[in-house]
Amino acid sequence: MSYPLSLEASEEARERILSILDKLSDEAALRFTDAYEQCLADLCRRIPAAIEQGFPPTHDEPASLALSRPTYRAKFETTNKRSRFSSIGVWYVFFWLIDGDGDRIPETLKVVSIQHGSAPHLWEENQQS
């Protein structure tokens, strides 16, 4: 039986969320918050079950190289309907899976960054810093 992952967020991720929410209208901020929280709740439930069944998540290779450790990416959307080639309402959450006790089974999902779908890729952004 798998247990849900605990959830943490890095200081950078918390700052990004506050910055994002500050720029959005009240309605858009509420949609963002709901979609973000739903995405994380789903990941925290789904990942342990997938690992238990022998299907661990695949890391995002470019983000992993940029952050020098296995990094995963999940997409969430804040709009119900969008045009096929538009990034409006598309967001990506980048996270690490942390195995605190060394048993090769992660206990914690740590959010490290959040980006809009049209933002520069995480690895390009880190190179410019």
Side-chain angles (χ1 to χ4, degrees):
M1 175 177 191
S2 58
Y3 294 96
L5 298 171
S6 62
L7 183 62
E8 292 180 5
S10 69
E11 186 63 33
E12 176 189 340
R14 287 192 293 269
E15 288 173 6
R16 281 188 182 244
I17 291 171
L18 290 175
S19 175
I20 290 166
L21 293 175
D22 189 46
K23 295 173 185 169
L24 297 175
S25 68
D26 290 344
E27 183 180 325
L30 183 60
R31 282 195 316 268
F32 175 89
T33 303
D34 288 347
Y36 173 71
E37 289 175 355
Q38 179 61 42
C39 175
L40 292 179
D42 181 51
L43 288 170
C44 286
R45 281 190 316 272
R46 190 171 39 90
I47 290 173
I51 291 171
E52 191 174 90
Q53 294 172 0
F55 301 104
T58 303
H59 66 271
D60 183 88
E61 190 168 332
S64 297
L65 290 171
L67 298 174
S68 300
R69 68 175 291 167
T71 303
Y72 304 87
R73 180 180 81 163
K75 175 177 146 180
F76 65 98
E77 296 183 27
T78 60
T79 58
N80 292 332
K81 190 174 181 181
R82 65 181 182 86
S83 68
R84 184 173 170 167
F85 299 106
S86 171
S87 62
I88 294 174
V90 175
W91 296 88
Y92 293 101
V93 59
F94 293 87
F95 60 93
W96 294 334
L97 296 176
I98 299 172
D99 174 16
D101 58 10
D103 64 357
R104 304 185 81 168
I105 299 171
E107 296 84 28
T108 305
L109 182 149
K110 183 173 185 173
V111 176
V112 292
S113 189
I114 294 107
Q115 290 188 310
H116 187 267
S118 65
H121 297 291
L122 184 63
W123 55 95
E124 292 171 352
E125 183 177 281
N126 284 348
Q127 290 174 350
Q128 295 171 1
S129 302

